Amino acid sequence: MDSEFDRDTAVTLREPGVYDAELSAGWTIIQAVNGGYLLALLGRALGDALPHPHPFTISAHYLTPSVPGPAVVRTETVRTGRTLSTGQASLFQYAEDGTEVERIRVLASYGDLDALPDDVRTTAKPPAIPPREHCLGPSDGPAPIPGSSAITERLDIKLDPTTLGWAVGAPSGKGEMRAWFGLADGRDPDPLSLLLTVDALPPTAFELGLTGWTPTVELTTHIRCRPAPGPLRVSITTRNLAGGFLEEDAEVWDSADRLVAQSRQLARAPRG
């Protein structure tokens, strides 16, 4: 628990299948707790509840905005097999009158990444991103949105300058975001932190000329292999914004040039 990420995603077993948690204000953007951080916290609870250690696929539906403070995670084992186990989990917080409000519900399949075969056949290629020293971080320009940006202090993000038009008032209109990614305290990536990584970059909506909160409706993440130590490269694209919603497709590559995570989310486009 030397890493802030590990401390802030910690869960405490209250009774079989039920965990207490504390959502940290350090992972907020504007007024909401980041969806990738929430996914990692739920992923940690499921990793404890299920017989297999690693998330293979996890799909989350974000029902109501989460806020910093106490939370309860309730898990259920749906099925256990030899190579995969499936479970579901929900995170609840308390309303002012004391009633429980469900914030997020996930369905996931877990396995053992270390037991996978080495055979890889792919046409996927790592994103073309300039060297880290030629990329830019949050400290290199003004804050793009009002409100809290506490999460940026916990991330080491260096954005590809070609996806930073929004920061100088000249968005490209392409709906692309690419960056080098790590945790600010130097913690190496692992399967759990990849659940944060897929939802940690600025929204692609910024490069479409829109600013403001882009709340996630649904997020599905596939963890493909255990990442090697070192910085990650993340590429996120949006090809279609329609009816006030957009998709974001993410790829995460490790320092060994392996595709370690993929995701797709549906998000509500900023209204501003």
Side-chain angles (χ1 to χ4, degrees):
M1 292 295 176
D2 291 338
S3 169
E4 189 170 16
F5 169 80
D6 293 313
R7 294 193 298 270
D8 289 348
T9 57
V11 295
T12 303
L13 183 66
R14 178 198 299 182
E15 58 188 69
V18 180
Y19 299 83
D20 292 311
E22 183 76 18
L23 303 188
S24 170
W27 303 88
T28 53
I29 187 72
I30 309 182
Q31 285 83 31
V33 181
N34 172 262
Y37 161 74
L38 293 171
L39 193 62
L41 189 148
L42 284 160
R44 189 180 292 279
L46 280 170
D48 183 79
L50 296 173
H52 292 92
H54 305 132
F56 274 30
T57 178
I58 181 167
S59 296
H61 286 262
Y62 295 81
L63 308 177
T64 53
S66 299
V67 296
V72 177
V73 178
R74 291 191 171 88
T75 67
E76 177 186 348
T77 300
V78 177
R79 180 185 180 276
T80 298
R82 185 175 60 85
T83 58
L84 290 174
S85 55
T86 300
Q88 61 183 11
S90 291
L91 184 144
F92 298 86
Q93 290 190 296
Y94 300 100
E96 292 184 358
D97 61 3
T99 59
E100 285 190 341
V101 179
E102 188 173 7
R103 301 299 195 192
I104 174 175
R105 182 180 298 191
V106 306
L107 182 66
S109 290
Y110 273 56
D112 185 354
L113 291 171
D114 298 324
L116 295 179
D118 294 330
D119 185 28
V120 176
R121 311 179 194 192
T122 182
T123 59
K125 296 181 180 179
I129 302 177
R132 284 187 89 258
E133 59 269 23
H134 296 156
C135 294
L136 303 173
S139 61
D140 296 315
I145 50 177
S148 169
S149 57
I151 190 173
T152 62
E153 300 173 9
R154 282 144 190 88
L155 306 177
D156 180 12
I157 295 179
K158 293 292 185 178
L159 290 157
D160 183 340
T162 63
T163 67
L164 269 173
W166 54 272
V168 293
S172 68
K174 294 181 179 180
E176 298 176 348
M177 203 68 64
R178 291 182 297 275
W180 293 91
F181 179 88
L183 292 171
D185 61 13
R187 180 195 188 275
D188 276 322
D190 68 0
L192 194 68
S193 71
L194 292 176
L195 300 178
L196 164 71
T197 305
V198 297
D199 192 43
L201 267 58
T204 54
F206 288 0
E207 273 295 86
L208 294 175
L210 302 173
T211 58
W213 188 34
T214 310
T216 303
V217 177
E218 187 271 345
L219 171 62
T220 294
T221 302
H222 298 161
I223 306 301
R224 307 306 304 272
C225 63
R226 181 188 291 276
L232 301 167
R233 284 160 293 171
V234 185
S235 173
I236 304 179
T237 59
T238 291
R239 297 194 306 161
N240 191 58
L241 187 159
F245 293 86
L246 56 88
E247 89 289 344
E248 286 194 337
D249 291 317
E251 291 185 353
V252 182
W253 294 76
D254 71 359
S255 59
D257 282 345
R258 297 177 305 166
L259 180 61
V260 294
Q262 298 165 284
S263 73
R264 165 167 281 200
Q265 72 168 276
L266 180 71
R268 187 182 296 276
R271 296 176 178 177

